[in-house]
Amino acid sequence: MKKLSLRTRVLTGTAVAATLAAGTFGAVSASAADKPAEAANKNVMQTNHLTIEAAAKAADAALDEAKKQNQRVSVAVVDRNGNTILTMRGDGAGPQSYEAAEKKAFTAVSWNAPTSELVKRLESAPTLKDIPGTLFLGGGAPVAAKGGPIAGIGVAGAPSGDIDEKIAQAGVAALNK
């Protein structure tokens, strides 16, 4: 076996030490990254959200009510931010009902009001209907907790918005049981 020069041994040792140090630094950095920065309490707001189980319960109740009324509808449940939690298209519901239900749910939670009430506001503020993602037709109902909106339920597919909204209200009522 050939003996290495002093220079080669020093360079090799330095390279090994640098590699170990880099690995240790990377491990320490990675473990520090696992701990998120804490925000001051004054910068944090807690909100209530509907669980997926509650959203499914509301949607099932709405579809049950639609079946009782012999209506073929879609039901959508959105969270406080307007993000879809779930959408269910009932048997025989039209293809347009899926998207319309989501938009009605989004509209109801955005203004914390039934969409049938919001339709009336269009008389004094007709440009409301121009807001993207909204649909000002009866069939959307807000879900509130502690006075604030936490979700919206939208129903579409019945021959009138009044029927859609009664079905959506059955979903809201199921959450109060």
Side-chain angles (χ1 to χ4, degrees), residues 88-127:
M88 299 171 71
R89 183 169 32 208
D91 293 336
Q96 79 289 355
S97 66
Y98 191 88
E99 183 178 352
E102 287 181 336
K103 287 183 176 185
K104 289 179 184 184
F106 175 82
T107 305
V109 75
S110 295
W111 279 275
N112 194 25
T115 53
S116 61
E117 292 297 318
L118 297 171
V119 170
K120 297 172 188 173
R121 294 183 192 177
L122 288 177
E123 294 172 14
S124 61
T127 57

Side-chain angles (χ1 to χ4, degrees), residues 52-171:
I52 185 67
E53 293 83 11
K57 178 180 179 179
D60 286 339
L63 285 174
D64 288 346
E65 181 62 26
K67 190 173 186 177
K68 286 179 193 173
Q69 294 189 31
N70 199 29
Q71 299 298 319
R72 297 175 181 161
V73 300
S74 290
V75 178
V77 182
V78 301
D79 68 12
R80 173 61 186 109
N81 300 318
N83 299 311
T84 302
I85 300 172
L86 67 81
T87 305
M88 299 171 71
R89 183 169 32 208
D91 293 336
Q96 79 289 355
S97 66
Y98 191 88
E99 183 178 352
E102 287 181 336
K103 287 183 176 185
K104 289 179 184 184
F106 175 82
T107 305
V109 75
S110 295
W111 279 275
N112 194 25
T115 53
S116 61
E117 292 297 318
L118 297 171
V119 170
K120 297 172 188 173
R121 294 183 192 177
L122 288 177
E123 294 172 14
S124 61
T127 57
L128 278 179
K129 69 181 181 326
D130 297 334
I131 297 172
T134 59
L135 186 58
F136 289 86
L137 297 173
V143 178
K146 298 178 183 175
I150 62 166
I153 300 175
V155 174
S160 77
D162 292 340
I163 297 170
D164 283 339
E165 199 158 305
K166 286 178 185 172
I167 295 169
Q169 289 294 346

